[in-house]
Amino acid sequence: MGKDGMRDPNLETLQRSHEALRELYRVSAEPDLSDEERIERMLDIGRQRLGLPAGYLSTVDQAADDYTIEVAVGDVVSAGDTFSFSTTYCRETVETEEPRLIPNVDETVWADTPAHHEHGLSCYVGGRVEVDGELYGTVCFSGTEARAPFTEDERTLVELIVEWIGDRLEHRRVEREREQLHEAIEASESAITVADAGQGGERPLTYVNRGFEQLTGYDREAVLGEDCRFLQGPETDAEKAAAIGAALDAGESIETVVRNYRADGTPFWNELQVTPIYEGGELTRFVGTQRDVSTRVEQREAVTALLDRSRALLDAETSDEVARVAATAVEEILGYDSLVRLYDDETGQLVPVAGSATELTEVSPVAVGESLSGRAYERGETMRFDPTLFAPGGYGNQAEVTDGLVVPLGEHGTLGIELPDPDPGGFEWRVAEILGESVTAALERAVQRDRLRLYETAIEQGSEMTAVVGEDLRVELVSDSLATFLGVGRDDLVGERVEDLLPESDLAAMVEAAQNTTGGEPGRFETTVNVDDEVRPVELEVSLGAGGEPPLVAVIRDISELAETRGELSRERDRFASLFTHIPDPVADFRFEDGEPIIRRCNEPFARAFGGGRDPAELVGLPSRDLVLTGDPDVDAARRLVERVRNGEPVSEQVRRQTADGPREFLFRAVPYETDDGLRAFGTYTDVTEQQRRQRRIEVLNRVLRHNVRNQINIADGNARLLADHIDDEDLKPIIEGLRSATESVLSVSEKARQAERALAQSRGDGPPPDAVVGNVVEEFRSEWPDRTIEFERPGDPATVTGSDRLEPVVANLVENALEHNGPEVTVRVRLAVDGGRLELRVADDGCGIPRLERSLIQGEQEITQLNHGNGIGLWVVRWIVDTMGGGVRFEDEDGWHAVVVSVPLADD
C-alpha cells in the first residue's frame, strides 16, 4: 500500500508477473501432464497475464502458404483452424528473432495490411517457435480491443513462454523418435543387443529385442545381465572370438561372421556387427546386430567347392574322366546321387558312363528324345522330372527315381541329379546348371585334346614356327622351329598363358583376328616378341578350331626385314612430305586426265607464284595449263615438255613463265612415276632469273678481263722487256725488274684462272689413272727444277676417280707452291694412297709451310675482307676443283713436315 493507503500499481504488476512465473514453473515441473496439456496451460497463463482473450500455438508452412492452429485457449480461434499464412500477423513475426508485442494495431503500419482487414484484431503478441533450429510456427496472444503498452516484465514472460513451448515441442519430437526407434528395433528381424561397457572384460547385456529371442531361442529376461559370450560353443573359431574381445577392449567396432549356438544347442553362422557408443568422450555401451547367414555361408562353401571341382574337371584328360569327376562333385557338393550320360556317335544314343548309388550295368542307353535325359539333350535345356510324364525310372531304367532334374551338357550328353523337389531358379538348381556348364567346358577341352593329339606330331616336326593355344589361352603345343627362334626350350613354353607372352591389346587382337576371318582363311595381325633381349617384329597367322572355337593355331613369321623396309619407307615418306612442304621452290604433284596434267597437290610457293594468291588446297583439281602456261609465248614448246613427261621421260629445261611478280626464268624439272591409279609426275620450278642475270654479267666481265686486260698486260710485259734490253741505268733496273715481276705475276694469276676454268669445264668421264696424271706432273717439275728433290709414291692398288684429269692443275699448284716459297734445300714429297673409299693426294715439304692465314681462308674458318684476302690464287684453284669432285682439303703438320692433303671419292663410291 502507498502512503495514502492506495495499492502501488508497479508492485501489483510485479506480483502478477511473479505469480505467472510460479505458475509456469509448476506447469513445467508437474510430471503427470502430457506435452499438449503443458502447452495449453502455458498459453492460458500467458493469456491471463497479458489480459488478452486468446492464446494459441500455430504451425507454419511458408512454401505452401499454410497456417494451422495446433493448440488454442480462449474464444478467438480454435485448434484445427487454417488460414493463408500470407494474411496473418505471424507473417511478420517469423522474420524476426524477438517477439512482436503490439498493444494497438490501429496506430501502426499493420493497420493497412491484409491481416488486419482479414482478422480485425486490435492487439497482437507473437513469437517465432523453432525446433532443432528450424521454423515450427508461432506462439500468439491476441484480442479485438487495444490495450495499454506492454511492460518489460510482460515481454520477458512472452519470451519465456515461447522458449518453453519450443523446448516442449523439441522434447515431444525426441520422445516420438525414441518410441519409433524402439518400435523399429523391436520389430526388426535382425537381432539387436545393447551391452554395458562394463569392467574386467565383462559386458552385461542391458537390452535385447524380439529378433534376438527368435534368432537364439533365449528368453530376454534370462540373458539380461549376462555377457553375450554364452552364444559360443565347441566349433566357435577361437581366433575370431579373441579378435572380437580385443576390438571391444580397445573400444573399436568390429564386423565378422562367427559360429554360434542357439539355446537348443544347434549351431548357426552369425553375422555380427558391434559398434561402441561414446558419451562425453567416455565409452558407455556397445550396440550389436546379429543375423543368421548360415544359408549364405553354406552356399558360398558350395560355390567354392564347385570352383575347386571345375579346376579338377579342366584337368581331366578324357571325356570318361570328366564324367567321373562330375558325378563325384554332385555327391560331395549337393549330397545327391547322379548319372552322367555321353552321346555315342556310332549308336546315336546317350550312354551311361558315370554315376552314384546305381550300377551302370543296370542302366540302359536311351535314344535322343526318349525319357527325361533324351528330351533334355534334344531341347538343350534343364528339365525337371514330372511323374505325370514319366514312369519311375524315368532317367532311363535307373533305379526308382521319382524326382530330380537333368542338365544338358551341350552336344556331349546329360547330367541327371536325383534332387528332391528341385526349385527352378533356386540355389541347388543354379548350382546344378553351373556345374553343367563346367562339365560341358571340360568335355569340350577333352575333345580338343584328343583332336590336338592328332596334329601334335605334324606340328612338332613341321618347319613352320607354330603354336597351339587352348581354350583357356594357355600354350599347349609349340614346334621345334618356334622354340629355336625364341631361344627357349619347348617345355618352357608349354603351359604358359598367352597373356604372359603378349600384351593385353595384342591378345585381344589375336582373338579378334581369328574370329573375324571368312571363307576359312586365317586371321593375321602383327606384333613383337623378345628374342635374346631384342625386340623382333612378327606376323601371327591365327586359325580357330572346328566350329569357330578354340584351340587356336598360330603360325609366327619373322618380318624383321619387312618392318625395317616399312620403317625406311615411312621415314622417306615423312622426309619427302617435309621437303614437299618446306622447299622454297614451287612444287606440284600432277596426275594425267586425257593427257592433261591435273594438280593433285602443291606447296605454298607454287600457289604464290601461279595461283593468284589462292590457298594451295583451292588449286587441287585444276589443269596445269590454266596456271603455269598463262601468257606463255611458246605454248607449243610447253606442250612438247608435257608430251615428254607423259611418255615417262624425266625433263630438265629452262623455261620462261608468267608469275604474280611478272615473267620469271625457271629451271623446270619434271619426274614421272607410275602408280596403281596411272601415271603421275612431280614438277619443280627453280627460279633462276637472278642467276641468269648474274651469269650474263659475269660472262661480260670475264670476256673483258680475259681479252682486254690480258692483252694490255702482255703489252706492258713486252715494253718492260724492251726497256731492260736498252737501258743500262743501274738506278732504273730495279724499277724495270719490279714492273716485269708484277706483269708476270698478273699473267701467272690469269693463267691459273684459265687452268681452273678449263678443269671445271672438263667432262666427268673416268679419264686416265690418277697415278699417271700425278706422275706426269711430277716429271715435268723435276725437269724444270733439276736442283730440287721431288719424291713420288704411287698407291699400292689401282684406283680410279671420276674426272681424274682434273687432278693435273691440283698437284701442279701444290708442288709449285712448295718449290717457290722455300729454298733450294727443300724436299717435296708427293704420295697417292687409298684410304677406305677415298683417294688421298698428299703434297708435303720440309720448308716453312703454308701461312696460318692462308689455311684459315681456304678452310672457311676466317672471312675474306680487304685486310684478309690471301696472297695468291693457286690454293683457291685447288679448293674449287676439289669441291667439284666431291672432295675436301686439309692441312697437316708433323715432325717438321707440312702437308696439304686432298681427299676425293673413288669412282666406285
Side-chain angles (χ1 to χ4, degrees):
M1 300 290 273
K3 294 181 179 181
D4 54 0
M6 300 295 291
R7 293 179 63 86
D8 187 343
N10 293 330
L11 181 60
E12 185 177 351
T13 299
L14 183 60
Q15 289 175 343
R16 283 191 286 116
S17 296
H18 287 174
E19 181 60 32
L21 289 174
R22 282 195 296 270
E23 286 294 324
L24 286 175
Y25 281 120
R26 281 196 294 271
V27 169
S28 64
E30 192 169 343
D32 296 332
L33 294 178
S34 66
D35 286 331
E36 287 72 14
E37 290 173 335
R38 292 182 198 279
I39 293 172
E40 185 175 334
R41 292 275 297 273
M42 288 179 181
L43 291 173
D44 190 53
I45 292 170
R47 177 179 68 85
Q48 294 182 16
R49 175 63 186 87
L50 298 175
L52 295 176
Y56 42 91
L57 167 67
S58 70
T59 59
V60 172
D61 186 345
Q62 290 179 288
D65 196 33
D66 287 340
Y67 181 88
T68 302
I69 304 299
E70 182 176 343
V71 180
V73 294
D75 54 3
V76 175
V77 293
S78 301
D81 289 349
T82 59
F83 306 95
S84 295
F85 175 64
S86 57
T87 65
T88 64
Y89 292 109
C90 293
R91 180 173 57 86
E92 302 292 336
T93 300
V94 298
E95 301 298 329
T96 182
E97 298 294 332
E98 297 182 354
R100 294 288 186 95
L101 288 80
I102 304 174
N104 188 353
V105 174
D106 293 333
E107 296 179 354
T108 66
V109 295
W110 289 26
D112 295 328
T113 62
H116 188 58
H117 296 299
E118 178 78 16
H119 303 289
L121 299 177
S122 295
C123 181
Y124 170 82
V125 174
R128 173 189 175 99
V129 177
E130 291 186 352
V131 175
D132 284 342
E134 299 292 333
L135 174 65
Y136 180 87
T138 58
V139 169
C140 301
F141 302 96
S142 62
T144 57
E145 301 293 335
R147 59 151 283 176
F150 294 100
T151 65
E152 285 300 320
D153 288 344
E154 291 173 329
R155 174 181 292 276
T156 300
L157 180 66
V158 171
E159 291 175 349
L160 285 174
I161 292 173
V162 170
E163 183 177 350
W164 284 357
I165 289 178
D167 290 342
R168 297 318 303 177
L169 291 172
E170 204 163 301
H171 177 266
R172 182 177 66 181
R173 181 192 62 77
V174 171
E175 285 297 314
R176 287 178 179 174
E177 290 180 353
R178 187 184 63 79
E179 292 173 0
Q180 292 171 355
L181 178 60
H182 184 269
E183 292 173 358
I185 292 174
E186 282 295 308
S188 174
E189 295 182 0
S190 297
I192 299 176
T193 62
V194 179
D196 190 77
Q199 293 181 352
E202 294 294 326
R203 301 171 185 87
L205 293 173
T206 60
Y207 170 79
V208 297
N209 68 343
R210 284 194 296 270
F212 180 84
E213 293 179 313
Q214 294 170 358
L215 173 66
T216 65
Y218 285 99
D219 182 78
R220 73 174 68 189
E221 297 300 330
V223 299
L224 291 179
E226 299 291 331
D227 190 292
C228 210
R229 285 177 293 189
F230 61 79
L231 294 176
Q232 298 178 11
E235 296 182 9
T236 300
D237 190 322
E239 291 185 2
K240 287 190 175 182
I244 295 171
L248 300 184
D249 290 340
E252 299 174 349
S253 61
I254 188 171
E255 179 178 351
T256 187
V257 176
V258 64
R259 190 76 157 172
N260 281 159
Y261 291 82
R262 296 185 175 90
D264 60 4
T266 59
F268 70 100
W269 287 103
N270 188 5
E271 184 180 67
L272 173 67
Q273 290 179 317
V274 182
T275 303
I277 305 298
Y278 288 86
E279 295 179 357
E282 181 180 355
L283 177 64
T284 58
R285 55 189 176 275
F286 294 94
V287 175
T289 60
Q290 304 174 52
R291 286 196 307 138
D292 184 356
V293 292
S294 299
T295 300
R296 188 183 74 190
V297 173
E298 291 166 1
Q299 290 180 355
R300 183 176 62 199
E301 291 176 346
V303 171
T304 301
L306 180 60
L307 292 175
D308 291 339
R309 286 299 176 181
S310 297
R311 298 186 187 97
L313 287 168
L314 293 176
D315 291 338
E317 293 289 335
T318 65
S319 298
D320 288 353
E321 185 179 351
V322 171
R324 289 193 294 271
V325 174
T328 303
V330 172
E331 183 178 7
E332 293 182 352
I333 296 174
L334 297 178
Y336 301 115
D337 294 332
S338 64
L339 178 66
V340 179
R341 295 175 180 269
L342 296 181
Y343 181 74
D344 187 342
D345 288 327
E346 295 182 0
T347 64
Q349 292 183 315
L350 295 166
V351 180
V353 295
S356 59
T358 302
E359 291 293 335
L360 295 180
T361 56
E362 300 177 6
V363 185
S364 303
V366 298
V368 175
E370 295 181 0
S371 84
L372 183 63
S373 296
R375 290 193 181 184
Y377 179 83
E378 182 180 50
R379 297 182 183 181
E381 62 184 33
T382 302
M383 297 186 66
R384 176 179 176 180
F385 182 85
D386 187 347
T388 63
L389 297 178
F390 302 100
Y395 287 138
N397 298 328
Q398 190 174 353
E400 302 298 318
V401 176
T402 59
D403 207 351
L405 54 84
V406 175
V407 180
L409 304 177
E411 299 178 354
H412 305 283
T414 60
L415 169 63
I417 302 176
E418 187 179 355
L419 182 66
D421 193 25
D423 177 23
F427 174 74
E428 292 175 326
W429 187 292
R430 295 199 306 274
V431 169
E433 290 190 326
I434 293 173
L435 180 60
E437 292 177 358
S438 298
V439 174
T440 302
L443 290 170
E444 289 284 351
R445 183 181 177 88
V447 170
Q448 290 170 6
R449 281 178 172 168
D450 291 339
R451 190 183 303 124
L452 284 174
R453 291 188 186 97
L454 298 177
Y455 304 123
E456 184 171 350
T457 302
I459 289 176
E460 287 178 351
Q461 298 177 356
S463 60
E464 290 274 19
M465 296 190 294
T466 308
V468 177
V469 180
E471 61 186 6
D472 60 351
L473 296 181
R474 290 184 182 273
V475 177
E476 296 185 350
L477 187 66
V478 294
S479 64
D480 288 334
S481 56
L482 176 58
T484 301
F485 172 71
L486 297 177
V488 297
R490 288 178 48 217
D491 294 340
D492 295 331
L493 287 175
V494 173
E496 288 293 318
R497 295 187 64 85
V498 176
E499 61 195 42
D500 296 332
L501 303 175
L502 292 177
E504 184 177 351
S505 58
D506 286 350
L507 177 61
M510 182 180 74
V511 176
E512 182 180 2
Q515 293 175 340
N516 292 341
T517 57
T518 57
E521 289 293 323
R524 293 180 175 86
F525 80 100
E526 295 178 7
T527 182
T528 59
V529 297
N530 288 322
V531 179
D532 296 331
D533 296 328
E534 178 184 355
V535 177
R536 299 279 290 274
V538 296
E539 179 189 61
L540 265 65
E541 184 180 278
V542 187
S543 302
L544 280 171
E549 298 294 335
L552 299 170
V553 178
V555 178
I556 296 91
R557 295 186 177 90
D558 187 356
I559 57 171
S560 299
E561 294 183 1
L562 175 60
E564 183 177 351
T565 302
R566 285 176 178 170
E568 185 60 32
L569 288 175
S570 176
R571 290 189 291 273
E572 287 295 333
R573 183 171 60 249
D574 293 342
R575 287 195 291 268
F576 173 77
S578 177
L579 175 65
F580 188 92
T581 303
H582 297 101
I583 191 170
D585 294 336
V587 181
D589 184 13
F590 302 100
R591 57 184 171 84
F592 289 89
E593 290 184 5
D594 299 328
E596 289 290 333
I598 306 299
I599 296 175
R600 290 185 65 248
R601 55 177 175 166
C602 62
N603 63 358
E604 286 282 355
F606 185 92
R608 285 197 302 270
F610 304 114
R614 286 173 285 181
D615 187 87
E618 299 180 51
L619 304 183
V620 174
L622 297 180
S624 171
R625 55 181 166 77
D626 292 348
L627 299 176
V628 298
L629 298 184
T630 303
D632 191 336
D634 193 354
V635 177
D636 292 337
R639 294 290 186 187
R640 287 193 294 273
L641 287 178
V642 171
E643 184 66 23
R644 290 168 59 188
V645 175
R646 195 171 58 198
N647 291 334
E649 177 186 349
V651 170
S652 178
E653 288 198 15
Q654 187 168 320
V655 297
R656 185 179 179 84
R657 294 287 182 262
Q658 185 70 29
T659 70
D661 298 326
R664 306 288 291 180
E665 297 283 342
F666 292 98
L667 175 60
F668 172 64
R669 285 165 290 192
V671 181
Y673 63 98
E674 289 287 346
T675 69
D676 294 338
D677 298 328
L679 182 67
R680 294 179 182 168
F682 285 107
T684 305
Y685 294 83
T686 302
D687 192 336
V688 295
T689 305
E690 297 302 324
Q691 180 180 337
Q692 289 297 316
R693 292 172 182 171
R694 287 195 301 270
Q695 182 65 26
R696 295 188 189 102
R697 290 195 293 267
I698 290 171
E699 288 175 355
V700 172
L701 291 173
N702 188 33
R703 285 195 298 271
V704 171
L705 289 172
R706 279 192 348 200
H707 297 285
N708 298 0
V709 175
R710 181 177 179 82
N711 290 339
Q712 295 301 319
I713 291 298
N714 281 330
I715 294 173
D717 185 57
N719 291 331
R721 289 176 183 275
L722 290 175
L723 289 174
D725 294 338
H726 293 87
I727 296 177
D728 296 329
D729 189 339
E730 294 298 328
D731 293 332
L732 292 177
K733 282 185 178 183
I735 298 174
I736 295 173
E737 287 299 325
L739 177 59
R740 287 191 61 195
S741 176
T743 56
E744 288 176 357
S745 177
V746 173
L747 288 173
S748 174
V749 170
S750 176
E751 180 59 30
K752 290 182 179 181
R754 287 170 61 84
Q755 290 177 356
E757 181 181 8
R758 286 194 301 270
L760 295 174
Q762 287 173 351
S763 66
R764 297 189 179 184
D766 290 340
D771 59 336
V773 175
V774 177
N776 291 336
V777 175
V778 170
E779 289 303 322
E780 291 178 4
F781 274 96
R782 284 173 175 172
S783 300
E784 186 177 348
W785 302 72
D787 59 338
R788 302 294 177 94
T789 301
I790 305 176
E791 301 174 355
F792 177 43
E793 180 183 346
R794 299 177 184 273
D797 296 320
T800 59
V801 296
T802 302
S804 60
D805 46 2
R806 296 180 180 181
L807 292 175
E808 180 179 345
V810 172
V811 69
N813 277 283
L814 294 178
V815 173
E816 180 183 13
N817 185 72
L819 294 173
E820 286 187 345
H821 294 286
N822 293 290
E825 69 281 358
V826 70
T827 297
V828 179
R829 292 177 178 174
V830 180
R831 183 169 71 92
L832 276 177
V834 175
D835 185 3
R838 304 180 75 82
L839 177 68
E840 286 197 347
L841 168 64
R842 177 184 296 269
V843 179
D845 65 72
D846 55 357
C848 60
I850 297 174
R852 182 65 59 183
L853 174 61
E854 293 285 346
R855 296 186 185 191
S856 61
L857 290 172
I858 295 299
Q859 291 181 317
E861 298 173 353
Q862 188 164 334
E863 186 179 356
I864 299 175
T865 65
Q866 291 181 349
L867 296 178
N868 299 324
H869 50 72
N871 294 322
I873 194 173
L875 285 176
W876 285 108
V877 171
V878 172
R879 170 65 184 274
W880 295 335
I881 295 175
V882 172
D883 283 347
T884 62
M885 297 178 71
V889 179
R890 68 179 187 272
F891 300 90
E892 295 181 354
D893 298 299
E894 185 176 359
D895 297 333
W897 288 87
H898 311 285
V900 180
V901 183
V902 171
S903 175
V904 296
L906 296 175
D908 292 340
D909 292 340

